[in-house]
Amino acid sequence: APPPAPRPMRLIRRLQEPVRQVLARLDAALNRLYGWRFNPLYQSGTITVLLLLVLLVTGIWLLLFYRIGAPWASVAGITASPWTGNWVRGLHRYASDAALVAVLVHLVRMFAQDRAWGPRALAWVSGLVLLAVLLVSGWTGYVMVWDTFGRELAVEGARWLDALPVLSEPVSRAFSGERPLPDAFFFLNLFLHVALPLGMGLLLLVHVGRLARPALFPPRRLSWTIVGLLTAVAVLWPLDMAPEADPLALPASVPVDWWYAFWLPVTRRLPVAAVWGMGAGLAALLTAVPWLVRPRRERRPPPSVVDRDLCTGCRQCALDCPWEAIALEPRTDGRADLVARVDPDRCVSCGICAGSCAPMGVGPPGRTGRAQLEVIRGYLAAPDRPAGRIAVLVCRQGAAGVAAALERAGADVHPVDCAGNLHSSVIEFLVRGGAAGVLVAGCPPRDCRNREGPRWLHERLYQEREAELQARVDRDRVRVVHAGAAEGRELLAALGEFAEALARKAPATAEADLTVEAVCDPVEVGETS
């Protein structure tokens, strides 16, 4: 037996399941309210980008009225203007808080869904850098106001910097009140507050650099709803001005933004060495997550492979791959012009390519279309198989936990790794083999761990995307539903509705000779659907 994983790795992995269960329940609740298309928890990453755009637009407007020589007075002037200043400043403030919340939700979601290791590690690490830049940018924004809260942040930051052996004179001396703060200090804050968000644009390109067709913004209706709600909050709860920073006076109270300064009450009471140690430890732990949650080598799903004898060079697998892990290269055997090649360093073993290949010549070992058909052939050949039952193909990442309840309801359950991994010939075999119907239960499209699995499945079944479900298959006996891990009740209801619809049809009959056509049409260069 392989040696047990180190204790820190086991502890980190054990955190994933309870967090995943909490998220699943929240997802199910919001799906009932908004539907999966507009569930904000499914859009945490794109919502962050939207909010960064809001911050950019409102920040440019506020910058027109900001004065380095009179920071507090200029912000007070902005705040005193109800039509062109206060609500814009409020929208800027609330959008910054909401952006941090969205980033944290996105981080927790990627961790819980085990989407941080392997080829996804670059996205995880670059996301942490984006989070750090967002925090620093927010801190500089509060310092720019130069109220009592801004001064608290500046003094605490100066205390940290003084512990580093890089400056000849302590930074904290600038805030002692013995001389006025130089304009260069506010210029530096302004420069960082503008430059850091612009740098986030470049980091964002790195963050999504390994994704094919990355979605950067949420659906339009959700986008306008979020912006409208934040604007309404900014108008109904306008911001006030805290007292101007005065190094020679002790303020009675200091208003604090706990999203960006949650650490302040703790760090002020700790030695600087302890603060740096805690920060470095937390940063190291978060950065190491891709390696802490990575399965042992013998348990990692293998990358996809290509059967060169079956590949026709049609390009469909390369088009469908969510990670751009498949490329076409010239053949040398004279059988066709091109052959697919999988880059194992980019492949996450999602199996999307297995569902894309009509001749079933590509996919992770044991999960290709041909391997899927072998399993279904065995199921159909079983002598004790009850005839005329509904076959439910349910994603293991979705509502597979209600498999026993589905079977009690009279269905035959077949777990699949991903709806996008499912080859259409499996559905054809089941329908032509005598199943009353086939119910495919995939994850909500905006929450597929393999990104585009439900989308490609739908297009193969109903829009004739390559590796399509053949026209000879009765579409009335095929239905696709979306159910998350905590939506077993919804899946059971969908099964009941499907059974009622099938009861109005003639009984299913099994064909004696089951064969499928393993052919495909070449896809033109530049074609995406």
Side-chain angles (χ1 to χ4, degrees):
R7 184 172 180 82
M9 297 177 68
R10 296 200 303 270
L11 292 175
I12 293 294
R13 290 174 187 164
R14 287 175 183 171
L15 282 175
Q16 288 180 303
E17 185 56 32
V19 176
R20 187 183 299 124
Q21 292 178 3
V22 171
L23 284 175
R25 293 188 179 96
L26 290 174
D27 290 340
L30 292 181
N31 283 344
R32 296 185 191 107
L33 288 174
Y34 308 117
W36 60 261
R37 288 179 177 84
F38 304 107
N39 185 338
L41 293 182
Y42 292 161
Q43 301 285 342
S44 54
T46 57
I47 287 175
T48 301
V49 178
L50 170 69
L51 293 173
L52 291 178
L53 182 61
V54 172
L55 289 172
L56 179 63
V57 173
T58 55
I60 291 175
W61 175 258
L62 295 174
L63 187 61
L64 298 176
F65 305 97
Y66 184 74
R67 299 292 179 266
I68 294 176
W72 186 88
S74 61
V75 176
I78 294 171
T79 306
S81 174
W83 298 107
T84 61
N86 191 294
W87 73 269
V88 179
R89 182 182 172 222
L91 179 58
H92 192 76
R93 168 78 63 85
Y94 296 134
S96 65
D97 290 341
L100 185 56
V101 174
V103 169
L104 294 176
V105 170
H106 191 61
L107 182 146
V108 171
R109 194 171 200 90
M110 297 303 102
F111 167 76
Q113 294 183 343
D114 205 24
R115 297 166 67 178
W117 61 275
R120 296 181 173 104
L122 177 62
W124 176 269
V125 175
S126 60
L128 292 178
V129 177
L130 282 166
L131 172 59
V133 173
L134 177 63
L135 288 172
V136 175
S137 181
W139 298 337
T140 57
Y142 282 110
V143 173
M144 284 173 58
V145 180
W146 203 235
D147 56 8
T148 52
F149 176 48
R151 184 178 181 280
E152 287 286 330
L153 289 177
V155 170
E156 183 64 11
R159 189 171 74 98
W160 298 355
L161 290 176
D162 287 344
L164 301 178
V166 293
L167 300 173
S168 59
E169 183 177 347
V171 180
S172 301
R173 185 175 298 174
F175 306 107
S176 63
E178 62 185 38
R179 58 178 181 267
L181 274 173
D183 290 346
F185 169 75
F186 296 104
F187 176 80
L188 177 62
N189 273 279
L190 176 62
F191 174 79
L192 290 175
H193 194 64
V194 173
L196 289 176
L198 296 178
M200 291 178 72
L202 298 176
L203 285 171
L204 186 63
L205 294 178
V206 176
H207 187 63
V208 301
R210 289 195 167 185
L211 302 181
R213 301 167 295 275
L216 295 180
F217 295 100
R220 184 175 301 177
R221 188 185 304 177
L222 180 59
S223 299
W224 285 115
T225 299
I226 292 172
V227 175
L229 287 175
L230 289 175
T231 303
V233 171
V235 172
L236 296 175
W237 285 276
L239 297 180
D240 295 323
M241 286 295 296
E244 184 176 6
D246 184 354
L248 302 179
L250 184 64
S253 62
V254 178
V256 176
D257 185 327
W258 294 113
W259 289 110
Y260 282 88
F262 59 90
W263 42 267
L264 194 57
V266 176
T267 61
R268 281 188 301 190
R269 293 172 171 80
L270 292 176
V272 177
V275 173
W276 277 111
M278 292 171 56
L282 179 60
L285 178 62
L286 291 174
T287 305
V289 163
W291 293 270
L292 293 175
V293 302
R294 180 177 59 179
R296 293 194 190 91
R297 186 176 300 275
E298 64 273 9
R299 295 183 180 177
R300 297 175 203 167
S304 292
V305 293
V306 177
D307 188 332
R308 299 174 70 91
D309 293 333
L310 296 175
C311 180
T312 62
C314 73
R315 298 186 177 89
Q316 192 63 58
C317 60
L319 288 172
D320 286 1
C321 178
W323 308 96
E324 295 186 336
I326 303 178
L328 278 294
E329 62 184 14
R331 295 192 80 124
T332 58
D333 53 12
R335 293 182 57 248
D337 294 332
L338 299 171
V339 65
R341 177 183 58 81
V342 177
D343 182 353
D345 293 331
R346 296 181 69 102
C347 179
V348 301
S349 192
C350 66
I352 297 291
C353 54
S356 300
C357 184
M360 295 173 270
V362 62
R367 293 157 55 200
T368 62
R370 291 175 183 263
Q372 296 176 40
L373 281 185
E374 285 303 311
V375 174
I376 296 303
R377 286 181 191 273
Y379 160 74
L380 294 175
D384 56 345
R385 179 178 69 91
R389 301 182 70 175
I390 297 176
V392 179
L393 304 171
V394 57
C395 178
R396 287 191 175 93
Q397 311 300 334
V402 296
L406 292 169
E407 291 176 347
R408 288 193 298 270
D412 289 337
V413 181
H414 305 271
V416 296
D417 292 308
C418 176
N421 179 214
L422 181 64
H423 200 280
S424 61
S425 295
V426 170
I427 298 174
E428 179 177 347
F429 259 53
L430 288 168
V431 173
R432 294 172 59 196
V438 177
L439 180 67
V440 183
C443 296
R446 298 190 182 276
D447 191 43
C448 176
R449 298 189 192 184
N450 299 323
R451 298 187 58 238
E452 297 169 320
R455 174 187 175 186
W456 297 153
L457 172 71
H458 186 273
E459 294 192 12
R460 292 170 197 147
L461 298 187
Y462 301 109
Q463 298 178 15
E464 298 186 353
R465 192 178 185 87
E466 192 55 59
E468 71 274 14
L469 184 64
Q470 298 299 312
R472 57 178 170 264
V473 179
D474 184 358
R475 294 302 195 281
D476 289 340
R477 295 191 181 275
V478 179
R479 184 169 294 187
V480 177
V481 297
H482 305 299
E487 295 181 295
R489 183 175 60 185
E490 287 79 0
L491 178 53
L492 287 167
L495 175 63
E497 294 174 3
F498 190 34
E500 291 178 3
L502 293 172
R504 296 189 289 269
K505 295 178 64 67
T509 57
E511 298 181 19
D513 182 24
L514 287 178
T515 59
V516 294
E517 297 178 6
V519 297
C520 59
D521 298 321
V523 181
E524 297 297 329
V525 176
E527 186 176 345
T528 59
S529 61

